[in-house]
Amino acid sequence: MNIEYQEVEENFGNLISLLNKSFISKEIDEIKDFVDYGEYGLALDTLIDII
């Protein structure tokens, strides 16, 4: 995996950890699924929609 993508995934992980108490597990899982498949734009869009 490219180092830049690792950094993006780490940042998403940190952000999800910070917001974990505010979201239900279904919402968190949806974001994680997008990140796991490398769909960072969709993960960010979903995160924004949830917020």
Side-chain angles (χ1 to χ4, degrees):
M1 177 181 295
N2 190 328
I3 290 178
E4 292 176 15
Y5 293 125
Q6 285 178 334
E7 185 177 346
V8 170
E9 289 187 12
E10 287 176 17
N11 288 335
F12 265 113
N14 292 336
L15 185 57
I16 288 170
S17 294
L18 291 171
L19 298 172
N20 198 22
K21 295 177 184 175
S22 301
F23 294 169
I24 61 174
S25 62
K26 182 180 174 185
E27 294 168 332
I28 295 293
D29 291 342
E30 186 176 0
I31 296 167
K32 285 181 181 178
D33 285 343
F34 285 129
V35 172
D36 289 343
Y37 286 103
E39 296 290 344
Y40 307 118
L42 289 173
L44 183 58
D45 286 344
T46 302
L47 178 64
I48 291 169
D49 287 343
I50 293 169
I51 291 172

